[in-house]
Amino acid sequence: MKTLNIIALALLIIGGINWLLIGLFQYDLVAGIFGGQNSAASRIIYVIVGICALYSLKFFNDVSEDRVSR
């Protein structure tokens, strides 16, 4: 499970950097590497990053203030 958490975090960081590039420079790195936003490879990467984001919602439990520190 720890490996899956690390992979999800790494892909979320890559996705965040991609959004940073889009916001600052209007450059989509994923689309640039994989041949445009509508290419199958780009769409797969976008879906994988999105799934990682949904998976990472479970981490809110780990960082919530209601949890007692040990």
Side-chain angles (χ1 to χ4, degrees):
M1 193 63 104
K2 182 177 180 180
T3 303
L4 185 59
N5 293 347
I6 292 169
I7 291 169
L9 177 61
L11 288 173
L12 284 175
I13 290 169
I14 291 168
I17 291 169
N18 191 53
W19 276 109
L20 176 68
L21 291 172
I22 292 169
L24 292 177
F25 306 112
Q26 297 180 354
Y27 179 70
D28 187 341
L29 183 63
V30 172
I33 292 172
F34 295 104
Q37 287 183 338
N38 293 324
S39 73
S42 292
R43 292 175 55 101
I44 290 168
I45 298 298
Y46 296 139
V47 167
I48 291 171
V49 170
I51 290 170
C52 288
L54 292 174
Y55 172 79
S56 296
L57 288 172
K58 75 178 197 96
F59 296 131
F60 276 112
N61 231 7
D62 296 338
V63 296
S64 69
E65 293 182 46
D66 296 338
R67 189 169 178 185
V68 177
S69 299
R70 295 180 214 197

